[in-house]
Amino acid sequence: MKAMKQIVSCFAILVFLVQLIDAQSFTRQVFQRNMYFDSSGLDSQTPVQLIDPGPASPRGPYGQQGMTKYGSQYYLMYRYFDGVSNNIYLRTSPDGLSWTDREIVSDDTSNTTQRFPAMVLAGSTQQPDIYAVWQDARDAEVQVRFARSTDGGQTFGPSVVISTHGDSKTVLASLARDDSGNLYVVWNSGTDSNAWFTTWFSRSTDNGLTWTPMSQVHNGRIFSFPAKIVARNNGELLVGICDDQNSRNNLVVYTSTNGGDSWQLQQQPTN
């Protein structure tokens, strides 16, 4: 008898531009393919499937997304521009094949750019708390903003400013939550001269209502980004940064055992 395979399901979201020849313009669409793996590797895969066709205008969804699985549900967060509004949206799926309609995450009403979302989930697997951060530009300055949902993503509360960067045009944020419920975010900011030197950090101990002033984790060379953070227990943190080291990129790791009050540079794992 053939041994049963333990199948682990994962899926990839593929984003590309479709050129509309008659309109001499393009629209962006979101596609996906589910790939199933066992201990030997790829076992099977589904055909490519369209999950967001985009609007009729030459705009649409962007592949700047956060994606995760929590419990038995898949969660996909991404930027969508319909030609007027430019916001962050969430969609969920029970199987990675059928998806809910878009639910808005960001709360900007001035049609400025919202992009590069990241999220973490906690609590009930049926209706989890969803914590999200993204780049926001509503006040003519680039910001890192945060919002929380307590009903599994059906609604999100008002957003909170974590940081403001008057000298930057882009921020890339990563979010984590420890076992005690504290939230941590790191981000890189790209200046107008396209320099990405610094990795910044902030912490919240009240579910994202308030955040500590931003502090520096790492100061590298011009293209030291992106940074990712993971958290566990009560304030044990690890930050990995793709560091620019004289025209080569290496992984630099910092750890903290006190919730980011201080950081220890670890031995570089790559060279």
Side-chain angles (χ1 to χ4, degrees), residues 1-213:
M1 181 182 295
K2 185 178 179 180
M4 292 182 63
K5 296 179 178 179
Q6 182 179 5
I7 303 297
V8 179
S9 173
C10 68
F11 65 92
I13 304 298
L14 308 177
V15 180
F16 59 89
L17 304 182
V18 177
Q19 187 76 22
L20 303 179
I21 303 300
D22 57 338
Q24 295 298 306
S25 60
F26 61 84
T27 186
R28 295 177 172 90
Q29 301 176 319
V30 179
F31 288 80
Q32 76 168 53
R33 167 175 281 165
N34 287 26
M35 294 178 286
Y36 300 89
F37 295 86
D38 60 21
S39 59
S40 300
L42 180 63
D43 181 78
S44 62
Q45 57 186 316
T46 64
V48 172
Q49 175 186 353
L50 177 65
I51 64 172
D52 196 325
S57 64
R59 296 293 187 269
Y62 288 67
Q64 302 155 350
Q65 79 280 338
M67 184 167 51
T68 191
K69 183 181 181 183
Y70 189 77
S72 61
Q73 289 281 115
Y74 296 95
Y75 297 82
L76 171 66
M77 191 175 289
Y78 58 97
R79 168 192 178 190
Y80 187 94
F81 182 38
D82 63 7
V84 178
S85 299
N86 196 336
N87 290 300
I88 304 298
Y89 290 90
L90 175 74
R91 299 180 70 179
T92 64
S93 171
D95 54 12
L97 295 171
S98 59
W99 292 85
T100 60
D101 293 335
R102 291 186 300 269
E103 295 290 344
I104 194 165
V105 177
S106 54
D107 57 0
D108 174 43
T109 59
S110 58
N111 301 325
T112 57
T113 299
Q114 326 292 305
R115 58 181 179 174
F116 303 126
M119 63 178 163
V120 295
L121 293 87
S124 167
T125 57
Q126 301 302 313
Q127 199 171 68
D129 288 350
I130 303 177
Y131 307 89
V133 292
W134 67 91
Q135 173 189 311
D136 191 291
R138 73 185 67 184
D139 295 325
E141 292 183 321
V142 172
Q143 299 173 334
V144 179
R145 281 194 176 246
F146 167 89
R148 178 192 180 196
S149 171
T150 59
D151 56 15
Q154 299 176 59
T155 59
F156 280 81
S159 67
V160 174
V161 177
I162 298 176
S163 70
T164 299
H165 298 265
D167 62 342
S168 302
K169 60 182 180 181
T170 305
V171 290
L172 297 172
S174 174
L175 181 66
R177 182 181 184 271
D178 69 17
D179 298 334
S180 297
N182 302 309
L183 296 167
Y184 308 92
V185 60
V186 294
W187 66 95
N188 307 99
S189 58
T191 67
D192 290 336
S193 59
N194 198 30
W196 299 76
F197 296 101
T198 308
T199 300
W200 302 101
F201 169 82
S202 183
R203 174 182 66 237
S204 174
T205 58
D206 55 11
N207 285 313
L209 293 176
T210 60
W211 294 83
T212 59

